[in-house]
Amino acid sequence: MEGAGGKEEDHRQLNAGPDPYLSIEVMVPAESLFIAAPVIFVAYVVFGMTGFGAAMVAVPVLVQFIPLQFAVPLVVLFDLACTALVGGSNWRRVSLVELKRLFPWLLLGIGLGVTLLHNAGARWPLMLLGGFVLAVCIKGLRGTPSKAAAPLKTHWALPFGVFGGIFSALFGTGGPIYTIYLSRRLDALDQFRATISVVILLSGVIRAAAFGAAGLYSQPEILSAAAVLLPVSLIGLYAGSRLRTRVSADVLKRSIFLLLAIAGAGAIYRGWILPS
């Protein structure tokens, strides 16, 4: 008689253990996806208006009610679709030199980030996410760097690529890190925009492949959630594109950073109250 009962008890113990994937199915009730819909919409309105930042807006809010290991792969799928739509016409302006310099380290960082996402508990990644988001907000609200800043040396591709890849895989928020590096390497604005778009697109493709290899997309809940929420992200992208010229850049910037600061503080609190 111990057979069935023993296996059931073992399964319950596994679900209580540190492996986040085993608990995704029971931790994401259907009502959470309804709450996620307006979050995804707002995030991709921001993306439509600015060309980046969807994950920075969405992930810190989503982790308040769904697991980090569910939220990040979900948003990656939306990023992939929206970035492909927005950036598909910019390939000829891409700096292949900078792309080749950054890409190997980005790849290494994504590998490290996927490993951490698979094996780490939720507490410290959530607190790290919140701290990173708050740091970006403080830097953004203090103003942009001077255009006269000296270009970065080429060896900075290594740390920026690795840390950008890690943050991309862990939180879907590597864009600001790539932006800092490329903005200090490329003077031509159109070349910078084209290159950052392609970096984010390639990062999304690699992350989606890595998450698939790690088994995240084997959970039917993620794919069904993506099927429901992808149209929401595309409607948000369209709305943001239409609103781009109707909202003051300063008002948009401050609104985004206020939203990010609230979400970042929430992620820190969420991580703090979890058991060590």
Side-chain angles (χ1 to χ4, degrees):
M1 295 297 294
E2 185 194 22
K7 288 180 181 177
E8 213 169 41
E9 181 64 26
D10 289 344
H11 183 68
R12 283 197 296 269
Q13 289 175 357
L14 282 172
N15 280 339
D19 190 342
Y21 300 109
L22 294 173
S23 56
I24 284 176
E25 185 172 348
V26 298
M27 291 176 67
V28 186
E31 56 266 27
S32 293
L33 298 182
F34 287 105
I35 301 172
V39 176
I40 295 297
F41 176 77
V42 171
Y44 285 92
V45 168
V46 171
F47 184 94
M49 297 177 79
T50 64
F52 63 93
M56 284 285 290
V57 173
V59 174
V61 179
L62 292 176
V63 296
Q64 306 303 315
F65 49 88
I66 65 177
L68 180 69
Q69 291 82 2
F70 190 100
V72 174
L74 188 64
V75 172
V76 164
L77 295 177
F78 306 148
D79 266 354
L80 203 54
C82 292
T83 307
L85 285 173
V86 171
S89 61
N90 292 326
W91 286 94
R92 292 183 181 179
R93 300 174 181 174
V94 172
S95 170
L96 293 178
V97 172
E98 291 299 339
L99 193 62
K100 290 176 183 178
R101 186 174 287 132
L102 195 62
F103 186 77
W105 307 119
L106 178 154
L107 195 61
L108 174 61
I110 289 175
L112 294 172
V114 170
T115 301
L116 289 171
L117 187 67
H118 187 281
N119 296 308
R123 183 181 189 184
W124 293 110
L126 281 175
M127 294 179 71
L128 183 62
L129 168 63
F132 175 68
V133 169
L134 287 178
V136 170
C137 290
I138 292 169
K139 180 176 175 60
L141 289 171
R142 289 177 63 184
T144 55
S146 168
K147 292 183 182 293
L152 288 174
K153 301 292 185 184
T154 56
H155 63 261
W156 282 101
L158 192 160
F160 277 96
V162 169
F163 282 102
I166 289 173
F167 273 82
S168 290
L170 273 177
F171 312 124
T173 56
I177 298 176
Y178 305 136
T179 298
I180 293 168
Y181 172 78
L182 289 172
S183 66
R184 298 280 298 277
R185 291 289 307 165
L186 300 173
D187 292 328
L189 184 59
D190 59 346
Q191 190 178 42
F192 162 75
R193 285 177 174 168
T195 306
I196 191 65
S197 295
V198 171
V199 166
I200 292 173
L201 177 60
L202 290 176
S203 172
V205 171
I206 296 164
R207 283 180 289 152
F211 290 152
L216 269 78
Y217 294 125
S218 65
Q219 288 288 337
E221 289 77 11
I222 292 183
L223 297 181
S224 61
V228 171
L229 294 173
L230 178 60
V232 176
S233 71
L234 296 177
I235 293 170
L237 175 67
Y238 175 77
S241 300
R242 300 282 292 181
L243 287 171
R244 188 185 314 170
T245 58
R246 301 182 185 182
V247 178
S248 159
D250 187 61
V251 170
L252 175 62
K253 171 184 173 181
R254 292 188 178 277
S255 300
I256 290 172
F257 282 129
L258 178 61
L259 177 62
L260 285 175
I262 294 170
I268 293 174
Y269 173 75
R270 177 83 171 170
W272 182 261
I273 64 175
L274 288 174
S276 300

